[in-house]
Amino acid sequence: DLEKIIEDVVATTQPLAAKNRNRLTACCGERLNELVGDVTRMRQSLFNLVSNACRFTEDGFIVLEAERRTAGGLDWVLCRVRDTGIGISPERLTKLFQPFTQGDASTTRQYGGTGLGLAITQKLCRLMGGDITVGSELGKGSTFTIHVPAVLRTCCGGASELSVSAASVRAALEELERLYPSLHRSICDE
């Protein structure tokens, strides 16, 4: 149940949010209890994103949203983490998912971390048959969106077997953007 995962992630990261005087909220769409996938990978991915948002935001807001959409003939779960933090420059966005990469040396000194969380999150999303995207504006905040199929086939005693190719994931993500141009808007505002 994705709603339970989200509740757990929010409860676990609430002290991190409070440490920087942030307000952390969650907003879930309908039919999220029908998610069939790798709970551990999803929980770790969301934890990484929310933890980062808490670390790079001060006196701000962090929202974890989840919804279900249809594209490419598949049901997709979209989990979005939006923050009002420091944001990321366009130059740094291109390297963001590379291991041991952070904004710059001053970011590492000020906020800490190893630069592995986003690389791991991207790998986990891809192992679940999906991907992660990011939009950001320096000084205004960032939005990270996880896109994964709502149902993963299982085989071999429960191990996930990807039922879609990388090309079909890209095509479905493009279709999601085309069908839902407001995808980066908050579902909490709808």
Side-chain angles (χ1 to χ4, degrees):
D1 179 351
L2 184 56
E3 288 184 47
K4 176 69 172 128
I5 294 171
I6 289 171
E7 287 175 15
D8 291 347
V9 168
V10 168
T12 303
T13 55
Q14 193 65 49
L16 294 172
K19 180 180 176 184
N20 284 345
R21 300 162 310 281
N22 293 315
R23 183 167 174 226
L24 172 60
T25 60
C27 183
C28 295
E30 298 177 4
R31 301 184 318 140
L32 294 176
N33 59 336
E34 300 169 15
L35 174 71
V36 178
D38 191 318
V39 173
T40 303
R41 288 177 180 164
M42 181 60 84
R43 180 179 287 115
Q44 183 65 54
S45 296
L46 292 174
F47 177 79
N48 288 350
L49 294 180
V50 174
S51 294
N52 280 353
C54 290
R55 203 160 23 114
F56 293 101
T57 304
E58 290 183 9
D59 298 308
F61 298 93
I62 299 151
V63 180
L64 171 54
E65 304 168 314
E67 64 181 315
R68 197 168 171 142
R69 299 274 174 114
T70 301
L74 295 173
D75 279 342
W76 292 83
V77 170
L78 283 69
C79 295
R80 192 175 302 108
V81 176
R82 293 184 302 121
D83 67 58
T84 58
I86 63 172
I88 306 161
S89 71
E91 305 82 47
R92 296 293 177 188
L93 281 175
T94 60
K95 298 177 182 176
L96 198 60
F97 294 104
Q98 294 175 5
F100 303 107
T101 300
Q102 288 192 335
D104 57 38
S106 65
T107 302
T108 304
R109 281 191 303 275
Q110 184 173 355
Y111 298 100
T114 61
L116 286 173
L118 292 175
I120 290 168
T121 299
Q122 182 183 56
K123 181 71 171 173
L124 293 174
C125 291
R126 290 179 175 174
L127 286 170
M128 291 186 286
D131 211 345
I132 182 171
T133 57
V134 60
S136 187
E137 189 173 341
L138 196 57
K140 294 199 175 184
S142 302
T143 300
F144 288 85
T145 305
I146 292 174
H147 313 79
V148 294
V151 178
L152 295 178
R153 289 193 335 214
T154 57
C155 69
C156 312
S160 295
E161 174 187 314
L162 299 182
S163 58
V164 291
S165 69
S168 62
V169 169
R170 279 191 301 278
L173 291 177
E174 288 170 6
E175 185 176 348
L176 279 168
E177 291 288 340
R178 185 180 56 74
L179 290 173
Y180 307 102
S182 64
L183 195 58
H184 296 290
R185 265 196 4 238
S186 170
I187 62 167
C188 297
D189 299 334
E190 293 178 352

